[in-house]
Amino acid sequence: MCTYEDLVDVTLSHGLVPLVVPQLRTITLGGAVSGLGIESTSFRNGLPHESVQEMDVFTGAGDVVTAHAEGEHAALFRTFPNSYGSLGYATRIKIELEPVPPHVGLRHVRVSDLDALAKTIDVIVADREWQGERVDAVDGVVFGPDEAYLTLARFTRAGVRTSDYTGQQVFYRSIQERETDALSMLDYLWRWDTDWFWCSRAFGAQSPRLRRLWPKRYLRSDVYHRLVGLENRFKIMGRIEARRGKPPRERVIQDVEVPVEGTADFLRWFDESVGMRPVWLCPLRLRDPAGVGTASAWPSYPLEAGRTYVNVGFWGTVPMKPGARRGDVNIAIEAKVTELGGHKSLYSDAFYDRGTFDRLYGGVNLAHVKQHYDPGGRLTGLYEKAVGRR
Ligand SMILES: Cc1cc2nc3c(=O)[nH]c(=O)nc-3n(C[C@H](O)[C@H](O)[C@H](O)COP(=O)(O)OP(=O)(O)OC[C@H]3O[C@@H](n4cnc5c(N)ncnc54)[C@H](O)[C@@H]3O)c2cc1C
């Protein structure tokens, strides 16, 4: 239950941070390890579960076991990431940290062509530098097929004049406006939390007038998340839209991992078929050298070690076409991602049939491990949680 916000407050005072710090402050370490998390360091540090050294898991059978990559509970350790509490609850997690300097220099590199964008990502991931400058972290934003930016971050000790996007200025807009920038390490880690990427605009938080009145301490993703919860409960905006004769909308909140060579294809297809803008990009490579060339290192989310993927994130709603069923757009995205050899995170809506789900998320192994650690089926299964919304 330790949030990354609390964790980073403690570690950063020692000049250290977790290898991957998910962008939203209130994600917990347990949530990121049992689900999935990703950030701009993932091209060199993989995913949060890859820095776990050991963990205590309170299993469905009622035991507390200490799991490592090797030994008696290795199968639990390996199967745990992307199990979302279906095998047990992590009650203590020991992770590796890395030393960091106090500042981050940023370079926003514009790329006007999606094929060139994918190629540039591939080169940066392989070389860990761009035009002679070291790259410590990289992510990107696609505003449209001919306007994408890669934000290259270089961690630095040098005293620099830093910007502040925790008040009136909005970080994602600065990407289009400036070529270089600098942030404190803490502000870099939470640069996306203040406006929940760009999603705060739906609540009016980016309108200069309202923003001046909006208390700074409430410019946070968990505040917007609560506002979404209220809307889901009372459907105030939904009813106003319906009265105005607007079509109902489908929720499209997903993060998908597409192999880098299929990324341009996916982005083109997505822009034409779904049309949400902007989208977030984050390259990643599994870190685990033991798994090189295999897909089995983390069987519940079997990315291939040694291969570069790009996480594509899009969060919002789209108007439903006449005659469409709710879920159609999400189902089309699932099919496209599978066609390109990618994977989809399960934190949001999923529509897979049981057979496809088991094939994509290591169903046979998961059932075997669940039988061992939760023989009575006390904990809701992964399919029932992710697809059945139980
Ligand atoms: C709206 C939204 C935005 C997101 N944005 C990002 C993002 O920007 N970056 C990113 O990296 N990820 C993002 N994610 C994904 C997120 O990292 C995962 O969903 C993660 O699992 C959430 O962790 P949490 O601590 O909030 O857990 P919760 O949402 O509280 O729980 C998520 C699931 O994990 C299980 N769980 C929680 N703690 C434990 C534990 N200790 N042991 C076992 N199971 C546990 C819960 O049972 C539940 O099924 C987002 C998710 C959502 C819903």
Side-chain angles (χ1 to χ4, degrees):
M1 299 296 285
C2 175
T3 64
Y4 275 92
E5 180 172 35
D6 290 344
L7 184 58
V8 163
D9 278 350
V10 175
T11 63
L12 204 51
S13 67
H14 298 275
L16 299 161
V17 289
L19 267 59
V20 181
V21 180
Q23 304 81 354
L24 309 185
R25 294 168 191 269
T26 50
I27 290 176
T28 65
L29 188 52
V33 169
S34 70
L36 286 189
I38 189 162
E39 231 294 82
S40 55
T41 53
S42 287
F43 78 107
R44 58 183 177 86
N45 287 342
L47 300 176
H49 55 262
E50 291 183 276
S51 27
V52 174
Q53 296 184 332
E54 89 177 13
M55 61 183 161
D56 289 347
V57 181
F58 182 32
T59 69
D63 304 314
V64 178
V65 300
T66 301
H68 299 96
E70 308 291 338
E72 189 188 346
H73 302 295
L76 177 63
F77 187 89
R78 291 277 172 199
T79 309
F80 199 78
N82 209 40
S83 69
Y84 285 98
S86 61
L87 300 173
Y89 255 68
T91 53
R92 181 182 65 91
I93 301 183
K94 183 176 171 187
I95 57 163
E96 203 179 325
L97 306 173
E98 73 176 2
V100 286
H103 299 118
V104 183
L106 302 180
R107 231 175 120 185
H108 304 300
V109 177
R110 182 170 176 175
V111 190
S112 310
D113 169 90
L114 294 176
D115 292 300
L117 176 70
K119 212 164 204 126
T120 310
I121 292 174
D122 209 15
V123 170
I124 291 170
V125 171
D127 297 349
R128 297 193 179 181
E129 61 164 46
W130 179 246
Q131 296 180 336
E133 271 191 32
R134 197 186 68 238
V135 175
D136 295 312
V138 55
D139 64 344
V141 179
V142 182
F143 289 92
D146 55 0
E147 190 189 4
Y149 296 83
L150 290 174
T151 295
L152 313 182
R154 187 171 178 181
F155 299 170
T156 175
R157 259 182 209 290
V160 281
R161 203 187 145 92
T162 51
S163 300
D164 179 0
Y165 298 102
T166 62
Q168 295 310 301
Q169 307 305 317
V170 178
F171 177 69
Y172 88 93
R173 295 221 186 109
S174 74
I175 293 174
Q176 288 173 297
E177 289 160 3
R178 321 178 45 142
E179 280 182 22
T180 58
D181 207 344
L183 292 172
S184 71
M185 180 57 73
L186 190 70
D187 282 355
Y188 177 72
L189 294 175
W190 304 133
R191 69 200 180 286
W192 289 123
D193 187 83
T194 309
D195 283 287
W196 203 3
F197 292 84
W198 31 85
C199 301
S200 70
R201 67 186 172 187
F203 312 104
Q206 292 175 26
S207 127
R209 265 199 217 153
L210 188 55
R211 200 169 175 96
R212 271 196 289 279
L213 301 173
W214 197 296
K216 203 169 159 175
R217 66 181 184 283
Y218 294 141
L219 287 170
R220 287 172 56 99
S221 62
D222 55 337
V223 171
Y224 313 126
H225 203 236
R226 264 177 256 148
L227 292 175
V228 171
L230 287 175
E231 171 59 20
N232 287 343
R233 205 162 146 209
F234 298 111
K235 306 214 175 345
I236 297 163
M237 289 312 295
R239 274 187 230 155
I240 294 173
E241 296 271 285
R243 250 186 232 158
R244 285 186 183 153
K246 298 258 176 76
R249 301 182 73 88
E250 177 174 341
R251 203 173 95 109
V252 183
I253 298 179
Q254 304 291 352
D255 275 79
V256 300
E257 268 81 51
V258 181
V260 68
E261 59 276 14
T263 301
D265 252 15
F266 180 79
L267 291 172
R268 267 189 288 271
W269 173 86
F270 183 83
D271 199 63
E272 279 160 23
S273 313
V274 183
M276 286 165 71
R277 295 181 185 178
V279 298
W280 184 64
L281 302 181
C282 186
L284 80 130
R285 251 182 184 232
L286 286 192
R287 191 178 169 224
D288 185 352
V292 172
T294 72
S296 56
W298 306 102
S300 312
Y301 203 77
L303 299 175
E304 264 179 59
R307 188 165 195 189
T308 301
Y309 293 84
V310 179
N311 178 285
V312 186
F314 32 90
W315 317 288
T317 59
V318 291
M320 288 169 64
K321 295 198 174 119
R325 283 171 312 163
R326 201 170 288 279
D328 281 357
V329 176
N330 283 282
I331 290 169
I333 293 168
E334 288 178 356
K336 188 70 187 171
V337 170
T338 305
E339 178 197 317
L340 292 170
H343 284 274
K344 188 180 101 158
S345 312
L346 295 175
Y347 71 78
S348 182
D349 304 311
F351 295 85
Y352 299 106
D353 62 73
R354 182 90 211 204
T356 308
F357 186 87
D358 283 349
R359 190 166 50 75
L360 294 174
Y361 298 97
V364 172
N365 171 71
L366 186 65
H368 182 72
V369 177
K370 188 164 172 69
Q371 179 55 34
H372 188 85
Y373 290 97
D374 183 23
R378 279 186 180 142
L379 302 171
T380 310
L382 183 62
Y383 185 79
E384 289 71 25
K385 267 187 137 167
V387 181
R389 299 191 183 91
R390 274 175 54 200

